[in-house]
Amino acid sequence: MQIPFNKPYLTGKEITYIQEAAAIGKLSGDGVFTKRCERFFEEKYGFKKSMLTSSCTDALEMAAILINIQEGDEVIMPSFTFVSTANAFIMRGAKIVFADSSAEHPNIDATKIANLITRNTKAIVVVHYAGVACDMDNIIALANNHNLFVIEDAAQAIDAYYKGKPLGSIGHLAAFSFHETKNIIAGEGGMLVINDEKFIERAEIIREKGTNRNKFYRGEIDKYNWVDIGSSFLPSEITAAFLWAQIEAIDDIQQKRISLWNTYYEALLAYADFFQLPVIHEYASNNAHAFYLVCQQAEDRNQLIDFFRSKNILAVFHYQSLHKSPYFLDKHDGRILQEADRYSQCLLRLPLFYELSTEEITHTIIPTITTFVEQYAY
Ligand SMILES: *Cc1c(COP(=O)(O)O)cnc(C)c1O
């Protein structure tokens, strides 16, 4: 029996709600289920405005348009992240200035941002890696001092907190993902969160292909027009209906994931000399998006992946530093981002999904690590 890295979990209500959406007869976006999902997030997490999108990538693209990124504007973000974090801003003409991660966590190192700020800097994009909060007080203070926007790539950070504040509620804007690899899913799906009111009206327009169609539907104008740039960022009601089933199960899903995560952590404490284990700072909560360990060398990490595979367990590495990617290499300013590179080479993610059992962790996955540690590299 293989243990996959991820297995999308269905609560059983998804098809029921999709049938309901079909029966209502409005399948395009912004219907009953879309509004129901958005209201849930606004009420539970105190977001000023939540707008479902077709992906987190879409939400990031909307964020770049909303803060009016122009040719030559500089945007600071970690190099150890998904391509969409950078693409959204590159497509609007921004110059990306990649920052290093911190030594104890793949998140952006807040102490290394100040040196990167210039007259042209417009925004800091933070990525809450594995759903663990970045050092937000220091980042917000820096942004306020220099009049910068803060955008949270909260793709992995649903139901996660910084000093008790929900992630996604702290920056001017935030982007979430409901891709099948995240905690709650819609196949493909995402959400833009707006915490600064002044962006709401334009966001509605951008999401509706640059038209003021939302105002028209609300009866505020008698015909709708093309008024701005925009695209088709709105998901269909089918996606929202699926997501609603997941939302209803969010507490159960989170509880299960956190319990599995803790099982890993407690068992792996015995190997804290061999692997760097995840650090959750005092200020952060754990939404158990991912369980990872960091090997001492790339070679160890790659051997461990192979060893897992030989035991039918799929464990996977994660991002390759974006400053070294084929697309960006000749655009990078040459700074060495040592920690980002180390996480690229040495980080390994272990299977973590709702239907994984505690026994699979304790009887199969952990003993595999034990054998590896005894036999190999160390
Ligand atoms: C998953 C992810 C994305 C992209 O999400 P999509 O919904 O697939 O567009 C962006 N950033 C981070 C950090 C992610 O983990």
Side-chain angles (χ1 to χ4, degrees), residues 100-112 276 281 339-340 342-343:
D100 207 357
S101 298
S102 73
E104 73 273 16
H105 197 281
N107 281 343
I108 193 166
D109 185 340
T111 66
K112 290 186 189 148
Q276 176 184 338
H281 283 111
E339 300 302 331
R342 188 170 64 86
Y343 293 117

Side-chain angles (χ1 to χ4, degrees), residues 55-57 81-82 85 127 153 155-156 177 179 182 188-189 319:
S55 65
C56 177
T57 302
T81 185
F82 190 60
T85 322
V127 180
D153 180 340
Q156 307 175 10
S177 176
H179 184 265
K182 307 303 202 255
E188 300 274 1
Y319 308 126

